[in-house]
Structures are given as C-alpha cells and as structure tokens.
C-alpha cells in the first residue's frame, strides 16, 4: 500500500485483542460462590428429609437441649405376706375392729399374731387410720408391704424392739383396709419402681 498507509519495516503489527484479566477473575469468584451456596442448600435439604444426625441431637448441638430419661431403679426384693406376722391392735372405742381386720389380713396371706386392744400408750390416742409399728429392720421390708393394705397409716420403728413381728394399731379414722386390688397394685409399684421423669439438660 502507498501513500499515508504505507507499511514500512520488516514486521507486521499484532492484531490480537487486549487481555481482559479482570473479567476472568470476576467470573471465577462468581462460580465459586454459586457452588458454595448450592452445596450448603443441598446439605440443608438432606438434614430436613433425614431428620438430622441423632448423635448431634443427643449432645444438644441443635436448637434446644437433648432430653435424657432417668433409668428405672432396680426391682426391690420385698417379703411376701406369708412371711410377715402381724399383731392387730384396736386403739378405738369401737369393738370388734381388731378381729375383723385380722380376718381380712389372713385372707390376704398374712400371718396373724396377737389380736387385742392397743396398749395404754396408744389406746384412744391414734387419730388417723392407724399406726404400723415394727423393729428398725422392718422400715424398708415388712412395713411397706403391710402399709399397702392400709393407705395413710403412719409408720414407726422401735430400735429396741426384738423379733420380726409388726403391729397394726387401728386408729379413730379407720373404716376398712384398702381394697385388695388397690393394695396389690401398690405392692407391684413398690417392687418395680417406675423411672423418674425425664430431665432436660441445660445448654
């Protein structure tokens, strides 16, 4: 070519477009951000449909704290009624209560010892349903079993008392023994205690 457009020299000018590095960097950052958001959303969907990680829930890492049930207590070994001798004593002014009560306890399997009026220290001085009296060793053995037969009776122990016999001292509020079905349920509850209510751990 001639004139003002004449090319001189032995090299031709390069016609390549200038590089746009800024645009490439921006596209790379945007791609990473999109992938990150997509991955997080996928994990959230998996957590919703699978119920999350049970181990994390147990440790209280999710909202709220894990609820832990208290284990049930070991079953207690209680004496059966046939091994318990009961003295039935009447501390009221009503006649015949001691014998009637003794007869019912015998039907329920208890051994019957003395049937009589209450001694002076208790005679006409028991205002409630009754008093269950026995040696110290009977507090967690014979007395609870006998107590299931007379709800509301007061339990007392005499450390100086010898032997294994227990007394049922009838009080002024006494009307009759606890119904046998209810007494049997109370004995079952004594032998197999229920677990304590679940407690919530503080976060």
């Amino acid at each position: 070519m001639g004139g003002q457009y004449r090319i001189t020299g032995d090299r031709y000018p390069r016609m390549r477009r200038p590089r746009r590095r800024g645009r490439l960097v921006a596209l790379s950052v945007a791609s990473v951000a999109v992938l990150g958001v997509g991955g997080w959303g996928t994990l959230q969907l998996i957590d919703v449909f699978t119920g999350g990680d049970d181990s994390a829930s147990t440790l209280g890492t999710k909202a709220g704290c894990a609820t832990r049930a208290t284990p049930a207590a070991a079953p207690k070994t209680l004496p059966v009624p046939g091994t318990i001798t009961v003295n039935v004593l009447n501390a009221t002014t009503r006649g015949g209560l001691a014998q009637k009560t003794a007869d019912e306890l015998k039907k329920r399997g208890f051994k019957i010892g003395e049937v009589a009026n209450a001694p002076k220290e208790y005679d006409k001085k028991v205002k409630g349903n009754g008093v269950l009296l026995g040696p110290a060793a009977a507090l967690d053995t014979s007395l609870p079993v006998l107590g299931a037969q007379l709800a509301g009776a007061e339990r007392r122990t005499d450390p100086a008392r010898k032997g294994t016999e227990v007394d049922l001292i009838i009080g002024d509020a006494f009307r009759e023994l606890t119904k046998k079905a209810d007494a049997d349920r109370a004995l079952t509850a004594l032998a197999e205690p229920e677990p304590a209510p679940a407690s919530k751990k503080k976060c």
Side-chain angles (χ1 to χ4, degrees), residues 64-99:
C65 292
T67 301
R68 298 183 179 181
T70 304
K76 293 182 179 179
T77 302
L78 296 172
V80 297
T83 63
I84 301 173
T85 300
V86 183
N87 301 315
V88 185
L89 310 174
N90 186 4
T92 75
T93 57
R94 292 173 286 164
L97 283 182
Q99 188 61 58

Side-chain angles (χ1 to χ4, degrees), residues 84-91 97-99 101-103 105-106 110-119 131-135 142-143 146 150 161-170 177:
I84 301 173
T85 300
V86 183
N87 301 315
V88 185
L89 310 174
N90 186 4
L97 283 182
Q99 188 61 58
T101 303
D103 291 343
L105 286 174
K106 187 175 182 179
F110 290 87
K111 292 182 178 180
I112 302 301
E114 182 182 5
V115 179
N117 291 326
V131 172
L132 308 181
L133 179 64
S142 301
L143 289 184
L146 182 58
L150 182 58
R161 184 165 181 164
K162 305 298 182 181
T164 59
E165 294 184 359
V166 293
D167 298 342
L168 189 160
I169 305 172
I170 300 172
L177 293 173

Side-chain angles (χ1 to χ4, degrees), residues 34-47:
V34 170
L35 289 174
V37 172
W40 181 82
T42 302
L43 289 176
Q44 292 300 311
L45 288 174
I46 292 174
D47 186 63

